[in-house]
Amino acid sequence: MSGFANAVYYPQWRVYKGFAPSDLNLSQASHVLYAFVGVNEDGTLRPLDDWADNSIEVDGEEGCLAALAKLKHTHPHLRTLLSVGGASASAEFPALAADPEARETFARACRAFVDEHEMDGIDIDWEHPKDPTEGHDFLHLLYTLRTQLPGPQYLITTALPPGAWVLRNINLAQAAAYLDYLNLMAYDLTGPWTDVAGHQAQLFPPGGDDGSDYPATCRADCNSGVDYCLSNGFPPNKILLGIPAYARYFPGAAGPGHPFEGAGEMDYCDFPDEWVSNAQVDHHAAAAWCSDPEKGFVSFDSPASVRQKARYVRDRGLGGLMYWTGASDRPGPESLVSAGFLGLYEHGEEE
């Protein structure tokens, strides 16, 4: 497979729900990012779930890492990466990145790990450098990692949110010299932490124009993150636009801008069928949604909204799409990974 990336994350904990690496949509995915392994402040790696990684019986192998390596023999187009960190395992990154010796230890440990498990590279999921000092150290970490993982044989990617309040801490033009892709986490714009409900992964403000009819919470958009990256020297073909394979729901809310009581989330594979079949798409925002008697306003991506985002990727010359997670997708015509793949490679008419 060449051209656009269509990258999926595989969290090892999904094996406990009966979802094996072989259950991913491998024919339409280009990269699998294995999530997660943790890191210590001295740069050594630490398992977050050693049983799932190396021992559980899955796909005829011992552990998900061996199962993933096995898949590369039957899907030679596939490139696999180890994702280090994650939202609950990023606390060690600031001290690690600030220490030259720890950075060297980390880079060597990553090289040994990917070689042992027949992987193609590393994804840094430090969520996230919180000030310019940490952003500076982040660049040193990427540079040191690249010395041990030379391209194009090895890949280095990172996952970052689309907000300028994070991206401004990093010299993006310099980061691009070390990175193959920036996985832009183009979701979680709204949730339990916001004051009103809104689309969680919209490309543009709702309703067209600047969305000024809606509260500021509802006007945050992912296109602004793409614009920020491009205007600060990050190449478009290295940006992957993130797709959430889960919903955020807002009980008591009927739409964007409405108050709610107790928001939650649900994986796309666990949706009631009617959420998908009855999904509406705000084509101004590139966002899908539905109303549920119990869950209220439900914000997610549907195949139609993903195809619209894929066209956006083509139009802007971006590198492709990524999905958190490929293990939360639905099969068949409701697959988001499939919708993205077809949208990237088939020049259909706007729906």
Side-chain angles (χ1 to χ4, degrees):
M1 183 183 295
S2 60
F4 294 107
N6 206 38
V8 299
Y9 278 87
Y10 178 80
Q12 78 264 73
W13 60 84
R14 287 305 299 244
V15 72
Y16 299 122
K17 293 188 175 183
F19 195 101
S22 63
D23 292 322
L24 292 164
N25 184 349
L26 296 168
S27 65
Q28 294 176 315
S30 60
H31 301 71
V32 177
L33 300 100
Y34 185 90
F36 292 105
V37 165
V39 67
N40 298 309
E41 291 187 353
D42 66 358
T44 55
L45 300 178
R46 61 183 176 89
L48 300 180
D49 189 337
D50 187 59
W51 177 258
D53 291 343
N54 298 303
S55 300
I56 194 170
E57 185 176 342
V58 55
D59 290 339
E61 300 291 330
E62 291 185 2
C64 293
L65 287 167
L68 186 59
K70 178 182 178 180
L71 290 175
K72 294 188 68 176
H73 299 288
T74 52
H75 298 80
H77 73 276
L78 201 63
R79 305 200 74 182
T80 59
L81 296 89
L82 174 68
S83 190
V84 183
S88 62
S90 286
E92 295 79 10
F93 271 119
L96 157 63
D99 182 343
E101 184 176 347
R103 293 196 301 263
E104 291 287 350
T105 298
F106 176 69
R108 289 193 297 269
C110 287
R111 172 65 181 266
F113 192 103
V114 300
D115 285 350
E116 178 185 357
H117 296 287
E118 301 180 52
M119 290 180 153
D120 298 290
I122 292 289
D123 175 54
I124 300 296
D125 202 331
W126 173 356
E127 298 189 15
H128 39 77
K130 294 180 174 59
D131 56 46
T133 298
E134 290 190 4
H136 180 73
D137 293 339
F138 173 73
L139 293 176
H140 280 296
L141 185 67
L142 295 181
Y143 168 77
T144 308
L145 193 58
R146 183 52 88 186
T147 64
Q148 290 292 325
L149 298 171
Q153 179 183 358
Y154 294 97
L155 301 175
I156 299 177
T157 69
T158 193
L160 291 169
W165 57 280
V166 171
L167 298 173
R168 69 189 178 197
N169 294 323
I170 301 165
N171 183 325
L172 293 170
Q174 188 172 348
Y178 314 130
L179 291 170
D180 292 282
Y181 291 120
L182 191 168
N183 302 323
L184 200 65
M185 298 188 290
Y187 36 76
D188 291 345
L189 299 179
T190 57
W193 56 88
T194 53
D195 52 355
V196 293
H199 295 299
Q200 68 135 336
Q202 61 191 10
L203 274 180
F204 302 100
D209 299 323
D210 60 359
S212 56
D213 292 340
Y214 292 88
T217 298
C218 303
R219 299 200 297 270
D221 67 275
C222 298
N223 174 68
S224 296
V226 173
D227 283 345
Y228 186 91
C229 291
L230 299 182
S231 65
N232 283 275
F234 201 89
N237 65 334
K238 290 189 173 187
I239 298 173
L240 304 189
L241 185 72
I243 302 290
Y246 61 93
R248 291 202 175 275
Y249 56 81
F250 301 88
H258 292 209
F260 61 91
E261 296 182 3
E265 66 177 270
M266 184 184 298
D267 284 340
Y268 184 62
C269 58
D270 296 330
F271 283 14
D273 290 342
E274 58 268 22
W275 283 13
V276 182
S277 59
N278 296 336
Q280 301 183 59
V281 178
D282 180 340
H283 288 290
H284 295 292
W289 63 280
C290 71
S291 292
D292 181 84
E294 179 185 351
K295 303 297 187 184
F297 175 71
V298 186
S299 169
F300 56 95
D301 264 318
S302 68
S305 68
V306 171
R307 286 193 295 272
Q308 185 174 349
K309 289 180 176 181
R311 287 191 287 270
Y312 169 89
V313 165
R314 289 203 323 255
D315 291 344
R316 302 218 62 182
L318 305 187
L321 298 168
M322 73 85 171
Y323 305 80
W324 178 266
T325 71
S328 303
D329 199 15
R330 296 167 78 94
E334 294 180 346
S335 167
L336 302 182
V337 175
S338 178
F341 179 85
L342 295 174
L344 290 171
Y345 287 102
E346 293 185 5
H347 294 256
E349 294 298 321
E350 187 80 24
E351 295 184 14

